[in-house]
Amino acid sequence: MDVDSDYFVTFTNLIAIIIQSIHTIMKTKIKEQFKSRFGEDGILFVAPGRFNLIGEHTDYNGGFVFPGAIDKFIMAEIKPNGTDKVRVYSIDIDEYVEFGLNEEDAPSQQWARYIFGVCREIIKRGGEVKGFDAVFAGNVPLGAGLSSSAALESCFANALNELFNDNKFPKMELAKIGQSTEHNYCGVNCGIMDQFASVHGKKDNLMRLDCRSGEFEYFPFKLDGYKLVLVDSRVKHELVDSPYNKRRESCERVAATLGVETLRDADMAMLDAAKDKVSAEDYNRAKYVIEEKQRVLDVCDALNRGDYDTVGRCMYGTHEGMSKLYEVSCEELDYLNDVAKECGVTGSRIMGGGFGGCTVNLVKDELYDNFIATVTRKFNERYGHEPKIYPVIVSDGARRYEEQ
Ligand code: GLA
């Protein structure tokens, strides 16, 4: 073993130890709260947030996405309580809520509606949910575009599947339960990517999902000589009430005009032929989606060849499209992208729905420290606060929590 690989093994071990200690601290807090509120022990479940290498706003257009689960997660302790009431305490928000399981029992607190929605969606699919007690906490930053809400939905969907339904719902159905929760109880007409990634995530693997057929493949993910890092602008990205739903409507309008089910079945020739039948704005939205669909496939091929320059070029292409055509960027995210370019970063782009949150950056090992120092300093000088930096650690999906 040479010095480099020795160093790598030590570094990997160190990360595993840090992740384990974060788990332990969170677990201890949750167990203490659960015991003091409900007097006994429940079962622990976890589910992660996600990042996405490429393929934004393609999921609800029947296209491809390329996400992975990250090392930030929601952890919940849960136990059936023999009543018809759910009693749940959020440690981070420091709020306790009780609700029944019928449609008219919907709680008003946004965070509790995610859990209520999951219960209702399981029941609607013929599953069973009875009363339970729960305490949960998490470290997925809120509003950073890392899918804290999908983590919460997946954590409860997976837990209630095990506790009340003998795991009869397959994983993809759990993802759909989370997605329908967003549609029917939270007002966000999202695609399937976030919940899919949170449920199916696998350590050191990305997943290329075909959102039309639901087929996916794991992609062993190891970067040679590069790192992936998220830079969080800390501009709160909030999809509820954001123009997110409007973007989806634009795509659906264009698809209807072209006579296809989704933009997956459209190409630039079709779009150009219908240019005078759609608004200029809708044209741009659809152009972005059609181009992004191809970029995901190009990135997968490029990764197979170890061609990081192409991966990076596609990432910048996505940023440009999301900023100029899809118009889901903001000044801070465009600035982060400019600084990345100045620092020689191989690829950089807005990640997730947009309107704030993070950029994802593919950086050569030797440029990494300089990039982090420069982007932190320059962003702070301009906006009066430092961005947050999250190295990407690709992790496992929703599961019952087992001590490692
Ligand atoms: C949000 C949605 C996803 C997806 C992304 C954009 O995260 O929840 O379904 O549309 O935006 O790619």
Side-chain angles (χ1 to χ4, degrees), residues 50 52 55-60 65 145-147 149-150 179 182 188-195 237 239 244 248 288 292 322 326 349 351-354:
R50 62 99 190 89
N52 185 26
E56 297 300 359
H57 293 274
T58 44
D59 55 358
Y60 53 82
V65 292
L146 301 178
S147 296
S149 60
Q179 183 193 23
E182 297 276 352
V188 181
N189 245 334
C190 63
I192 191 70
M193 171 169 72
D194 305 349
Q195 294 78 9
H237 133 123
L239 291 186
Y244 179 92
R248 184 172 183 155
Y288 161 77
E292 181 72 352
M322 284 177 90
Y326 219 62
R349 67 174 196 82
M351 197 193 64

Side-chain angles (χ1 to χ4, degrees), residues 355-388:
F355 312 107
C358 295
T359 58
V360 53
N361 303 272
L362 177 68
V363 196
K364 275 203 177 111
D365 282 345
E366 62 269 28
L367 298 181
Y368 186 81
D369 290 344
N370 177 57
F371 170 56
I372 299 302
T374 309
V375 78
T376 303
R377 176 177 52 76
K378 288 193 129 187
F379 193 85
N380 190 20
E381 276 166 15
R382 193 169 173 123
Y383 296 108
H385 66 265
E386 292 186 352
K388 289 219 162 118

Side-chain angles (χ1 to χ4, degrees), residues 228-246:
L228 266 185
V229 63
L230 306 176
V231 179
D232 183 359
S233 64
R234 292 164 65 194
V235 175
K236 285 277 181 222
H237 133 123
E238 188 55 88
L239 291 186
V240 180
D241 292 332
S242 82
Y244 179 92
N245 293 349
K246 294 239 158 22

Side-chain angles (χ1 to χ4, degrees), residues 87-302:
R87 310 188 294 182
V88 51
Y89 175 66
S90 159
I91 293 185
D92 302 321
I93 300 178
D94 187 19
E95 203 166 26
Y96 172 81
V97 171
E98 255 185 55
F99 54 81
L101 289 161
N102 297 314
E103 201 59 33
E104 62 276 15
D105 298 325
S108 55
Q109 294 83 347
Q110 181 65 35
W111 66 266
R113 290 179 73 86
Y114 291 114
I115 301 170
F116 176 78
V118 166
C119 298
R120 288 298 309 157
E121 291 297 331
I122 291 178
I123 294 168
K124 283 185 207 168
R125 286 166 171 76
E128 185 160 53
V129 180
K130 295 195 181 138
F132 61 87
D133 297 332
V135 170
F136 73 96
N139 64 356
V140 192
L142 297 181
L146 301 178
S147 296
S148 50
S149 60
L152 183 58
E153 290 148 5
S154 306
C155 185
F156 278 85
N158 182 49
L160 301 179
N161 193 31
E162 176 170 330
L163 294 174
F164 296 113
N165 295 282
D166 285 332
N167 286 317
K168 81 170 177 191
F169 291 108
K171 281 186 170 189
M172 193 57 103
E173 201 55 38
L174 297 181
K176 289 183 183 160
I177 285 168
Q179 183 193 23
S180 307
T181 297
E182 297 276 352
H183 291 186
N184 299 329
Y185 299 92
C186 308
V188 181
N189 245 334
C190 63
I192 191 70
M193 171 169 72
D194 305 349
Q195 294 78 9
F196 163 82
S198 179
V199 169
H200 292 82
K202 187 161 148 190
K203 189 171 182 309
D204 300 332
N205 280 260
L206 299 191
M207 297 158 285
R208 186 176 73 183
L209 169 68
D210 176 338
C211 299
R212 179 168 64 183
S213 67
E215 279 166 18
F216 66 95
E217 58 179 306
Y218 285 105
F219 234 86
F221 187 62
K222 185 172 168 304
L223 292 169
D224 256 337
Y226 289 78
K227 291 186 176 41
L228 266 185
V229 63
L230 306 176
V231 179
D232 183 359
S233 64
R234 292 164 65 194
V235 175
K236 285 277 181 222
H237 133 123
E238 188 55 88
L239 291 186
V240 180
D241 292 332
S242 82
Y244 179 92
N245 293 349
K246 294 239 158 22
R247 297 296 181 280
R248 184 172 183 155
E249 285 160 21
S250 279
C251 296
E252 287 169 356
R253 258 195 312 273
V254 178
T257 308
L258 300 183
V260 291
E261 201 181 326
T262 62
L263 290 180
R264 165 70 176 272
D265 300 311
D267 58 26
M268 279 312 293
M270 290 161 79
L271 181 62
D272 283 333
K275 200 164 181 177
D276 55 345
K277 297 200 195 86
V278 298
S279 70
E281 190 177 273
D282 282 1
Y283 175 88
N284 284 343
R285 308 290 191 242
K287 180 170 193 280
Y288 161 77
V289 170
I290 291 168
E291 290 174 352
E292 181 72 352
K293 185 171 63 177
Q294 189 54 43
R295 277 191 288 259
V296 184
L297 302 178
D298 292 349
V299 161
C300 291
D301 288 348

